[in-house]
Amino acid sequence: ANSIQQCTACALTADALGLVTDSGAVYAVQLKQQRYKCLDVLDVAGTSAAFMTRLSRRLFVGCADGDIYCYDYGSNSRLAKLPGHRTAVGSLSTKSDTEQLLSASTDAVLLWDMQTFRQRRMLSSAPYGSSQAVFSAAGNIIAAAAGSAGEVIIWHAKSLQELCRLAMPLDKQQQPFQASCLSISPDEKWLLAGCRSPALLLVYSLEQEGLSHALLLPEDMYGIIQVHLLPDSTSAAVMTSTGCISFLDIQTCSMSGQLQMTPGCRAASFNIEPRANSMAVVCNDGLIRLYDLAALRSRQQSKQTAVMRQQVQQLHESQLQQLLGSPDLDVSRAKLPSTTGPGNRQPLQILSQVSNVPPKQQTASQSGKLKGSSGTMGGILQLQRVDMPAASLNRKKLQQLLAAYGEFPSKYRLMIWEHLLQLPRNSAAFALFQDRGVHPAYKDLAQQMPGASRSAVAVRLQACLSQLAHWCPLFGEAGFLPRFAFPFVKLCGAKSESAFELVATLLLNWCKGWFDLFPNEPLPLLRRFLLAVSHHDLELGSHLQHLGVPLLQQLWHQISGAMSDLLPSQSDWLVFWDHCLAAAAGPGFLYQLLCSYLITQRRLLLAVQDEQQLVRLFESRPAVDIQQVVKQAHKLQETTPDYALLGLRSFSPLPASSAASAGYPVFTEYPAGSVELQAQERRRIQEAEDALIRRRQVAAELEQRSKQVAFDSSALTAQRQQLAALDAQRRAAMRAIDDSLAAAGARLDDRSKEEKLKQIRMVEEAYQASLSSLRAEWTSELAALKADIDHKRRLTAAALKARQEEEDLKALEFQTQQRLWALQQEEIAAAGTSALQDAAAAQAAAVSAEQQRKAAEWQAEDEVRALRQQHETARQVRLAAAAEQEAAKQAAQGLLLTRELQAQEELLKVEHQRRLRTLAEDEAELTAKQLQLQVERQAVLAAAGQQAVQQQAQQQKERFTEDQQRHVAAVDEELQALKRRQAELHAAAAEIGSAACMAAAEQQLTQLEQAIQQAAKEEEQQVQQILQELDKDKQQHQHVMDVLAAIRAEPEVPQRGTAAAAATGRRSPPIEMLPG
């Protein structure tokens, strides 16, 4: 973030432009509103970008660590993070009709659902190396370039079914060309594949699923790194590694125009909006140029020449085999000669207004706001951080700044270091090293750094060292290089190209003479350094020389570690290297700083007498005033004679790429033979270590398997013992449970019996109590009735007596009044009186008799009611018990008969099958005709016997069912007769009203019980009869079987015997079909 940013990818729509830089900054520029927004600043560099076709406000950014971020630039917010790739995202593509995103990297091709922000599917058919994948404009097909397999895979976008595989043609060495970019025509008829080397454009027909033809561009264009088919499906925009963009007609195989940049500027990538109205070009000078594509093409077509038409050659597949491809050469970032060095590079700046009109049509206000207009091209968007100081500083100003403040500002230190070292940013050459991956010498670097094995610094250090080893084999064998490069890689962060070029520049200049005696330490250089120390401090120099080789080894350890293990803090280390890089004395000032440091620590060094004390001194990192060390180093530089100076006196930066040289210089200042021997020795040691590791793995595996077998055996034995113990415990527990259940059952039986006895006693007691209470009630009621009758008699007698006296008085009165009449009527009166007396007596007797009758009737009714209740209760109990017993007996008999019938039927089936099998074995020697006749005969007999048995079983079943129904009806009739008889007994008891009635009723009940028992006996006799009938049926079936056996024995007589029998006139008796 403290240095100039370079745009790595862009995305374009009709009204917005999305940008992502190498430092991780994400910008969205609204073209119509002429405003921009910084959406986010990521920790890693961006590698690709794309807008969602349906929702153009969504911007997707792919990063170098494999993550994908989704932004909404309307709300200036991050919507989601899509982790899924393990390597850098090479391309992003969106589908026009749905919210789907296609991402590709070297590990997989993934399809994302943007409604849920989740991975929909991994296209597993894509092999390793599919770093390019695109949707068609219509969104119906998907294409992915499988670089390692040399083919292009086509899927159906909806069903995700693989449609076809387009094979890449072979070159002269019989190796397939490598596809670096893809594009599908809007009509989905053509597919273009650009090759890295040579500049070859392959045209595939999707209808014929094969190669149609190829277009070969001029040799000076090196290779094709990006291609885009325009809406007419015949024109294509192609960007080559030279940085120019050409427009080709794939049908006429001609070039319709070229877009040339300003001198020293080349295109790094471009993007065309979906309607092909405008085009955005990312340039290597930090500028983003916007073009009106229609006006640009018309202008280029008007300038088209015959030479330009002849530059493109049409080749067929047979002619492609004559070309020589370079699959290992990545020309996607080749460099043009550039005049924009580090000193005059323009800073990255964001302007608030963007125009897309030619400069001639711009107003005065617009021309003042836009910078960097180029010729007659469209408006230019130039990006720059607003808090960045002017980048036009030179070395002299920086040296003055360092002298004034003692160090560079930490915010701009990395930018100043890049400026001082004049890093060329050879992106194409660096990409060659980067694409070669991890060097074998550093594949285990993460294990050697336990403290940072999981951090991004370890990964960056491994990548930087691998790139250095690819640049020069020496750096793959230098053991000190990780310690030397680590602090610089950590300082550069995610800027891998800057870290590589910075370390390479230091190795070329500040490490001069370090590799003359490789793989040994540069002892002559160190001894010359001690002589320089003796020149400035004789006593210290003599003492250091007296320490000998241990001191030289410690000095080499500190120098080869870039002094990071010597200085007490990181800030002192940064100040140290600020002065090393900016010193006017050149790279040799490093040794003056080290000499000044030793002189500053002379008191501690003079006290050192042996190697252990020296090691402890350097490991303790004694405190030091770094500014004082720097001042003293400048004084030592002034007083040091030329013969005592070490290192280079002038700085030589890495050369920038040009047409003649497109890479970094070759490093040759080392003994090549020593490096080769070192590499061979390292390979030998590595092979021996690998063999030892394999043997250890085999031994460990065998030991592990032996232990596993022993453990399994012991575990099996223990498991068997445990199972036996558990089985014994289970058996003991089951026995204990059975004993407890038996004891509990016995207790329950005893308890149930006791409860039943208690219930019987309680019922008896209740019955006796009710009888006694009824008798007491009857006695009291009889006494009350007798008292009432006596009272009524007394009342009647008193009334009769009063009436008699009244009659006597009347008679005396009549006698006195009508003595004559009384005399005449005396007889009549006497007769009347006797009649009245007889009537009164009769009336009293009738009343008394009526009262006695009522009392007797009430008592009889009460007794009958009580007796009826008792008998009803007893009857219900007996009837329930009898019914339950009868039902259980009937069920048991039915179940017994059913099981017996089933057993007999199964036995008959088995016997039938056995006899048939025996018959078949016996008759195997008969002729075909006899065998057929015998089989038919036996089948008929068997069917007849089986049918008869089934009919007999069915008849017995029906007979048993009818008997059971008749028995149930008889029981019901008997119950009804018992009820009627009980009602008659109740009526008789009510009429009798005495204890004799009760006794008679009990006798009747006893007779009924006897009748029921007699009926049960009769039922048992019927069952016995049924069983006897079944036995008879069984005997009949046995007789049938005997007859069948006789029939089977009959054909065994040979034919001659048959003839003899015919001669004697004997005949076989006819077989009669027995019924049943």
mmCIF file of all heavy atoms in Angstrom, residues 385-415:
data_model
loop_
_atom_site.group_PDB
_atom_site.id
_atom_site.type_symbol
_atom_site.label_atom_id
_atom_site.label_comp_id
_atom_site.label_asym_id
_atom_site.label_seq_id
_atom_site.Cartn_x
_atom_site.Cartn_y
_atom_site.Cartn_z
ATOM 1 N N ARG A 385 -3.270 7.050 -5.537
ATOM 2 C CA ARG A 385 -3.702 7.281 -4.160
ATOM 3 C C ARG A 385 -3.501 8.747 -3.817
ATOM 4 O O ARG A 385 -2.443 9.314 -4.065
ATOM 5 C CB ARG A 385 -2.919 6.400 -3.185
ATOM 6 C CG ARG A 385 -3.333 4.947 -3.252
ATOM 7 C CD ARG A 385 -2.775 4.199 -2.076
ATOM 8 N NE ARG A 385 -3.253 2.835 -2.081
ATOM 9 C CZ ARG A 385 -4.394 2.460 -1.537
ATOM 10 N NH1 ARG A 385 -5.151 3.350 -0.924
ATOM 11 N NH2 ARG A 385 -4.792 1.207 -1.588
ATOM 12 N N VAL A 386 -4.491 9.361 -3.156
ATOM 13 C CA VAL A 386 -4.449 10.799 -2.906
ATOM 14 C C VAL A 386 -3.474 11.161 -1.808
ATOM 15 O O VAL A 386 -3.017 12.285 -1.726
ATOM 16 C CB VAL A 386 -5.867 11.287 -2.531
ATOM 17 C CG1 VAL A 386 -6.804 11.102 -3.692
ATOM 18 C CG2 VAL A 386 -6.390 10.514 -1.318
ATOM 19 N N ASP A 387 -3.138 10.176 -0.887
ATOM 20 C CA ASP A 387 -2.230 10.495 0.206
ATOM 21 C C ASP A 387 -0.784 10.186 -0.142
ATOM 22 O O ASP A 387 0.069 10.098 0.725
ATOM 23 C CB ASP A 387 -2.617 9.690 1.454
ATOM 24 C CG ASP A 387 -2.612 8.199 1.183
ATOM 25 O OD1 ASP A 387 -2.542 7.833 -0.004
ATOM 26 O OD2 ASP A 387 -2.692 7.425 2.162
ATOM 27 N N MET A 388 -0.469 10.004 -1.420
ATOM 28 C CA MET A 388 0.860 9.600 -1.839
ATOM 29 C C MET A 388 1.684 10.825 -2.176
ATOM 30 O O MET A 388 1.226 11.734 -2.860
ATOM 31 C CB MET A 388 0.739 8.685 -3.054
ATOM 32 C CG MET A 388 1.972 7.936 -3.372
ATOM 33 S SD MET A 388 1.634 6.818 -4.708
ATOM 34 C CE MET A 388 3.093 5.823 -4.580
ATOM 35 N N PRO A 389 2.928 10.923 -1.684
ATOM 36 C CA PRO A 389 3.766 12.064 -2.074
ATOM 37 C C PRO A 389 4.189 11.947 -3.515
ATOM 38 O O PRO A 389 3.996 10.941 -4.175
ATOM 39 C CB PRO A 389 4.964 11.946 -1.117
ATOM 40 C CG PRO A 389 5.056 10.489 -0.826
ATOM 41 C CD PRO A 389 3.646 9.984 -0.812
ATOM 42 N N ALA A 390 4.804 12.963 -3.994
ATOM 43 C CA ALA A 390 5.268 12.976 -5.381
ATOM 44 C C ALA A 390 6.313 11.894 -5.595
ATOM 45 O O ALA A 390 7.218 11.717 -4.785
ATOM 46 C CB ALA A 390 5.852 14.341 -5.726
ATOM 47 N N ALA A 391 6.162 11.166 -6.685
ATOM 48 C CA ALA A 391 7.051 10.039 -6.944
ATOM 49 C C ALA A 391 8.254 10.431 -7.786
ATOM 50 O O ALA A 391 9.034 9.585 -8.191
ATOM 51 C CB ALA A 391 6.294 8.923 -7.632
ATOM 52 N N SER A 392 8.367 11.676 -8.062
ATOM 53 C CA SER A 392 9.461 12.130 -8.932
ATOM 54 C C SER A 392 10.709 12.470 -8.130
ATOM 55 O O SER A 392 11.446 13.383 -8.456
ATOM 56 C CB SER A 392 9.001 13.343 -9.735
ATOM 57 O OG SER A 392 8.622 14.382 -8.841
ATOM 58 N N LEU A 393 10.974 11.755 -7.019
ATOM 59 C CA LEU A 393 12.183 11.978 -6.234
ATOM 60 C C LEU A 393 13.357 11.289 -6.898
ATOM 61 O O LEU A 393 13.219 10.195 -7.428
ATOM 62 C CB LEU A 393 11.988 11.458 -4.809
ATOM 63 C CG LEU A 393 10.903 12.161 -3.978
ATOM 64 C CD1 LEU A 393 10.762 11.467 -2.644
ATOM 65 C CD2 LEU A 393 11.224 13.620 -3.781
ATOM 66 N N ASN A 394 14.525 11.877 -6.802
ATOM 67 C CA ASN A 394 15.729 11.240 -7.313
ATOM 68 C C ASN A 394 16.598 10.808 -6.143
ATOM 69 O O ASN A 394 16.288 11.049 -4.972
ATOM 70 C CB ASN A 394 16.490 12.175 -8.253
ATOM 71 C CG ASN A 394 16.764 13.529 -7.601
ATOM 72 O OD1 ASN A 394 16.915 13.621 -6.383
ATOM 73 N ND2 ASN A 394 16.841 14.590 -8.414
ATOM 74 N N ARG A 395 17.697 10.124 -6.453
ATOM 75 C CA ARG A 395 18.563 9.572 -5.416
ATOM 76 C C ARG A 395 19.148 10.672 -4.540
ATOM 77 O O ARG A 395 19.282 10.505 -3.318
ATOM 78 C CB ARG A 395 19.663 8.742 -6.074
ATOM 79 C CG ARG A 395 20.653 8.126 -5.102
ATOM 80 C CD ARG A 395 21.650 7.267 -5.844
ATOM 81 N NE ARG A 395 21.029 6.074 -6.390
ATOM 82 C CZ ARG A 395 20.900 4.930 -5.706
ATOM 83 N NH1 ARG A 395 21.374 4.824 -4.481
ATOM 84 N NH2 ARG A 395 20.332 3.887 -6.248
ATOM 85 N N LYS A 396 19.505 11.800 -5.126
ATOM 86 C CA LYS A 396 20.123 12.875 -4.346
ATOM 87 C C LYS A 396 19.152 13.422 -3.306
ATOM 88 O O LYS A 396 19.518 13.642 -2.147
ATOM 89 C CB LYS A 396 20.593 13.976 -5.287
ATOM 90 C CG LYS A 396 21.371 15.085 -4.584
ATOM 91 C CD LYS A 396 21.894 16.081 -5.586
ATOM 92 C CE LYS A 396 22.697 17.187 -4.867
ATOM 93 N NZ LYS A 396 23.214 18.205 -5.827
ATOM 94 N N LYS A 397 17.908 13.642 -3.698
ATOM 95 C CA LYS A 397 16.912 14.130 -2.738
ATOM 96 C C LYS A 397 16.669 13.118 -1.630
ATOM 97 O O LYS A 397 16.505 13.492 -0.457
ATOM 98 C CB LYS A 397 15.608 14.443 -3.469
ATOM 99 C CG LYS A 397 15.685 15.656 -4.371
ATOM 100 C CD LYS A 397 14.337 15.934 -5.000
ATOM 101 C CE LYS A 397 14.404 17.166 -5.901
ATOM 102 N NZ LYS A 397 13.092 17.457 -6.512
ATOM 103 N N LEU A 398 16.641 11.843 -1.995
ATOM 104 C CA LEU A 398 16.435 10.821 -0.978
ATOM 105 C C LEU A 398 17.614 10.752 -0.014
ATOM 106 O O LEU A 398 17.426 10.523 1.194
ATOM 107 C CB LEU A 398 16.212 9.463 -1.655
ATOM 108 C CG LEU A 398 14.911 9.331 -2.458
ATOM 109 C CD1 LEU A 398 14.869 7.993 -3.171
ATOM 110 C CD2 LEU A 398 13.691 9.460 -1.554
ATOM 111 N N GLN A 399 18.824 10.908 -0.510
ATOM 112 C CA GLN A 399 19.995 10.921 0.375
ATOM 113 C C GLN A 399 19.944 12.119 1.319
ATOM 114 O O GLN A 399 20.287 12.008 2.507
ATOM 115 C CB GLN A 399 21.270 10.937 -0.453
ATOM 116 C CG GLN A 399 21.536 9.647 -1.197
ATOM 117 C CD GLN A 399 22.730 9.736 -2.119
ATOM 118 O OE1 GLN A 399 23.308 10.823 -2.306
ATOM 119 N NE2 GLN A 399 23.101 8.602 -2.735
ATOM 120 N N GLN A 400 19.503 13.251 0.809
ATOM 121 C CA GLN A 400 19.358 14.413 1.674
ATOM 122 C C GLN A 400 18.271 14.178 2.733
ATOM 123 O O GLN A 400 18.439 14.562 3.900
ATOM 124 C CB GLN A 400 19.033 15.647 0.831
ATOM 125 C CG GLN A 400 20.155 16.074 -0.106
ATOM 126 C CD GLN A 400 19.740 17.206 -1.013
ATOM 127 O OE1 GLN A 400 18.583 17.642 -0.989
ATOM 128 N NE2 GLN A 400 20.688 17.692 -1.842
ATOM 129 N N LEU A 401 17.177 13.583 2.322
ATOM 130 C CA LEU A 401 16.103 13.268 3.272
ATOM 131 C C LEU A 401 16.601 12.300 4.335
ATOM 132 O O LEU A 401 16.306 12.451 5.537
ATOM 133 C CB LEU A 401 14.909 12.666 2.516
ATOM 134 C CG LEU A 401 13.707 12.223 3.366
ATOM 135 C CD1 LEU A 401 13.050 13.429 4.016
ATOM 136 C CD2 LEU A 401 12.696 11.487 2.497
ATOM 137 N N LEU A 402 17.379 11.299 3.954
ATOM 138 C CA LEU A 402 17.901 10.326 4.900
ATOM 139 C C LEU A 402 18.901 10.968 5.845
ATOM 140 O O LEU A 402 18.926 10.660 7.045
ATOM 141 C CB LEU A 402 18.556 9.173 4.138
ATOM 142 C CG LEU A 402 19.080 8.010 4.971
ATOM 143 C CD1 LEU A 402 17.939 7.357 5.744
ATOM 144 C CD2 LEU A 402 19.767 6.977 4.090
ATOM 145 N N ALA A 403 19.715 11.885 5.331
ATOM 146 C CA ALA A 403 20.679 12.566 6.195
ATOM 147 C C ALA A 403 19.976 13.476 7.193
ATOM 148 O O ALA A 403 20.437 13.651 8.336
ATOM 149 C CB ALA A 403 21.671 13.357 5.345
ATOM 150 N N ALA A 404 18.850 14.044 6.790
ATOM 151 C CA ALA A 404 18.143 14.964 7.685
ATOM 152 C C ALA A 404 17.379 14.215 8.781
ATOM 153 O O ALA A 404 17.373 14.639 9.945
ATOM 154 C CB ALA A 404 17.196 15.846 6.866
ATOM 155 N N TYR A 405 16.714 13.113 8.440
ATOM 156 C CA TYR A 405 15.853 12.416 9.398
ATOM 157 C C TYR A 405 16.453 11.109 9.933
ATOM 158 O O TYR A 405 15.905 10.518 10.854
ATOM 159 C CB TYR A 405 14.496 12.112 8.764
ATOM 160 C CG TYR A 405 13.712 13.359 8.440
ATOM 161 C CD1 TYR A 405 13.720 13.873 7.146
ATOM 162 C CD2 TYR A 405 12.980 14.024 9.419
ATOM 163 C CE1 TYR A 405 13.003 15.021 6.840
ATOM 164 C CE2 TYR A 405 12.268 15.173 9.122
ATOM 165 C CZ TYR A 405 12.274 15.672 7.824
ATOM 166 O OH TYR A 405 11.571 16.794 7.528
ATOM 167 N N GLY A 406 17.529 10.642 9.345
ATOM 168 C CA GLY A 406 18.166 9.417 9.819
ATOM 169 C C GLY A 406 17.535 8.139 9.294
ATOM 170 O O GLY A 406 18.137 7.069 9.413
ATOM 171 N N GLU A 407 16.358 8.190 8.727
ATOM 172 C CA GLU A 407 15.688 7.024 8.159
ATOM 173 C C GLU A 407 14.589 7.492 7.232
ATOM 174 O O GLU A 407 14.158 8.646 7.279
ATOM 175 C CB GLU A 407 15.101 6.145 9.268
ATOM 176 C CG GLU A 407 14.052 6.840 10.110
ATOM 177 C CD GLU A 407 13.446 5.909 11.151
ATOM 178 O OE1 GLU A 407 13.397 4.706 10.887
ATOM 179 O OE2 GLU A 407 13.023 6.390 12.208
ATOM 180 N N PHE A 408 14.118 6.590 6.383
ATOM 181 C CA PHE A 408 13.025 6.899 5.477
ATOM 182 C C PHE A 408 11.692 6.718 6.200
ATOM 183 O O PHE A 408 11.592 5.927 7.158
ATOM 184 C CB PHE A 408 13.072 5.980 4.257
ATOM 185 C CG PHE A 408 14.234 6.245 3.350
ATOM 186 C CD1 PHE A 408 15.063 5.212 2.946
ATOM 187 C CD2 PHE A 408 14.508 7.532 2.904
ATOM 188 C CE1 PHE A 408 16.134 5.450 2.107
ATOM 189 C CE2 PHE A 408 15.577 7.772 2.066
ATOM 190 C CZ PHE A 408 16.400 6.736 1.673
ATOM 191 N N PRO A 409 10.645 7.422 5.773
ATOM 192 C CA PRO A 409 9.325 7.213 6.394
ATOM 193 C C PRO A 409 8.873 5.764 6.185
ATOM 194 O O PRO A 409 8.981 5.203 5.094
ATOM 195 C CB PRO A 409 8.423 8.210 5.661
ATOM 196 C CG PRO A 409 9.348 9.209 5.066
ATOM 197 C CD PRO A 409 10.621 8.494 4.764
ATOM 198 N N SER A 410 8.398 5.182 7.266
ATOM 199 C CA SER A 410 7.986 3.781 7.186
ATOM 200 C C SER A 410 6.837 3.570 6.197
ATOM 201 O O SER A 410 6.711 2.500 5.604
ATOM 202 C CB SER A 410 7.563 3.285 8.579
ATOM 203 O OG SER A 410 6.482 4.074 9.080
ATOM 204 N N LYS A 411 6.012 4.594 6.009
ATOM 205 C CA LYS A 411 4.876 4.471 5.114
ATOM 206 C C LYS A 411 5.312 4.344 3.663
ATOM 207 O O LYS A 411 4.644 3.694 2.857
ATOM 208 C CB LYS A 411 3.953 5.673 5.301
ATOM 209 C CG LYS A 411 2.632 5.578 4.552
ATOM 210 C CD LYS A 411 1.749 6.746 4.894
ATOM 211 C CE LYS A 411 0.395 6.633 4.189
ATOM 212 N NZ LYS A 411 -0.487 7.766 4.512
ATOM 213 N N TYR A 412 6.450 4.978 3.324
ATOM 214 C CA TYR A 412 6.915 5.004 1.935
ATOM 215 C C TYR A 412 8.258 4.308 1.761
ATOM 216 O O TYR A 412 8.919 4.470 0.749
ATOM 217 C CB TYR A 412 7.023 6.451 1.438
ATOM 218 C CG TYR A 412 5.774 7.254 1.668
ATOM 219 C CD1 TYR A 412 5.736 8.293 2.583
ATOM 220 C CD2 TYR A 412 4.616 6.948 0.956
ATOM 221 C CE1 TYR A 412 4.593 9.032 2.784
ATOM 222 C CE2 TYR A 412 3.458 7.682 1.158
ATOM 223 C CZ TYR A 412 3.443 8.713 2.074
ATOM 224 O OH TYR A 412 2.305 9.434 2.279
ATOM 225 N N ARG A 413 8.681 3.525 2.755
ATOM 226 C CA ARG A 413 10.016 2.925 2.686
ATOM 227 C C ARG A 413 10.135 1.957 1.512
ATOM 228 O O ARG A 413 11.111 1.995 0.756
ATOM 229 C CB ARG A 413 10.326 2.193 3.984
ATOM 230 C CG ARG A 413 11.656 1.436 3.954
ATOM 231 C CD ARG A 413 12.018 0.834 5.281
ATOM 232 N NE ARG A 413 12.597 1.826 6.179
ATOM 233 C CZ ARG A 413 12.031 2.273 7.296
ATOM 234 N NH1 ARG A 413 10.844 1.789 7.656
ATOM 235 N NH2 ARG A 413 12.616 3.167 8.048
ATOM 236 N N LEU A 414 9.147 1.076 1.351
ATOM 237 C CA LEU A 414 9.233 0.100 0.276
ATOM 238 C C LEU A 414 9.218 0.781 -1.088
ATOM 239 O O LEU A 414 9.952 0.384 -1.999
ATOM 240 C CB LEU A 414 8.085 -0.901 0.385
ATOM 241 C CG LEU A 414 8.089 -2.046 -0.622
ATOM 242 C CD1 LEU A 414 9.385 -2.837 -0.531
ATOM 243 C CD2 LEU A 414 6.896 -2.957 -0.416
ATOM 244 N N MET A 415 8.428 1.824 -1.240
ATOM 245 C CA MET A 415 8.404 2.562 -2.505
ATOM 246 C C MET A 415 9.759 3.210 -2.769
ATOM 247 O O MET A 415 10.283 3.180 -3.898
ATOM 248 C CB MET A 415 7.312 3.632 -2.446
ATOM 249 C CG MET A 415 7.207 4.476 -3.701
ATOM 250 S SD MET A 415 6.253 5.972 -3.432
ATOM 251 C CE MET A 415 7.360 6.884 -2.354
#
